[in-house]
Amino acid sequence: MRRTSTRWAALAVVAALSGPVAGCVAAAAAGAAGAVYATTRGAGGLVPGSVDQVAARAQTVMKEMNITPAAEKTETAGDKHELKGKQGDLDITIQMERSDSATTKVEVTARKNLAEWDKDYAKEVLTRIVKES
């Protein structure tokens, strides 16, 4: 009899804790928006805001960092947006894609030549886009 009541008590504790834990997981996921991570060729991250909002911030950052605009492309009814530019010997590409209604997935690359990428510069560009939000 005692063993059964101990199990029920343990289950009650697990049930009571599952609500707050789920809330913490959701909060952690929300906090992950804006985090910058390295990719094979540059930097990526989830940025708060719509694709249009993030694209506007990216254009501001390009001006601040003296990146000369070279091309701009929008696809999939605005769910994808791409900016290209030049900074010295670097070809900069900023790709933005709608992740959900509140965040945009952004990837930045800074290519020196066919085989070399400046990941640190790409990370700096993305970090500034995130800070603009």
Side-chain angles (χ1 to χ4, degrees):
M1 179 81 169
R2 178 137 173 101
R3 184 175 221 152
T4 303
S5 63
T6 304
R7 280 188 191 164
W8 282 110
L11 285 173
V13 169
V14 169
L17 291 177
S18 65
V21 170
C24 290
V25 169
V36 175
Y37 55 85
T39 65
T40 56
R41 297 180 181 172
L46 288 176
V47 179
S50 69
V51 172
D52 289 339
Q53 292 168 333
V54 175
R57 292 195 302 256
Q59 289 171 333
T60 300
V61 168
M62 287 175 71
K63 284 180 187 175
E64 291 172 356
M65 296 182 76
N66 298 317
I67 299 170
T68 306
E72 184 171 356
K73 180 170 60 171
T74 302
E75 297 177 356
T76 321
D79 282 350
K80 291 183 179 182
H81 198 103
E82 182 178 86
L83 298 170
K84 291 186 178 228
K86 295 257 321 151
Q87 199 334 306
D89 65 341
L90 296 174
D91 292 321
I92 311 301
T93 302
I94 303 171
Q95 296 176 319
M96 296 156 278
E97 184 174 354
R98 181 180 182 272
S99 177
D100 58 36
S101 61
T103 57
T104 299
K105 179 183 175 192
V106 180
E107 186 166 338
V108 179
T109 59
R111 190 179 74 180
K112 289 183 181 183
N113 56 47
L114 290 175
E116 281 187 88
W117 306 84
D118 189 338
K119 293 180 184 180
D120 292 334
Y121 190 81
K123 184 177 179 182
E124 176 64 23
V125 171
L126 183 53
T127 299
R128 287 187 182 203
I129 293 170
V130 169
K131 286 182 181 177
E132 285 285 322
S133 58

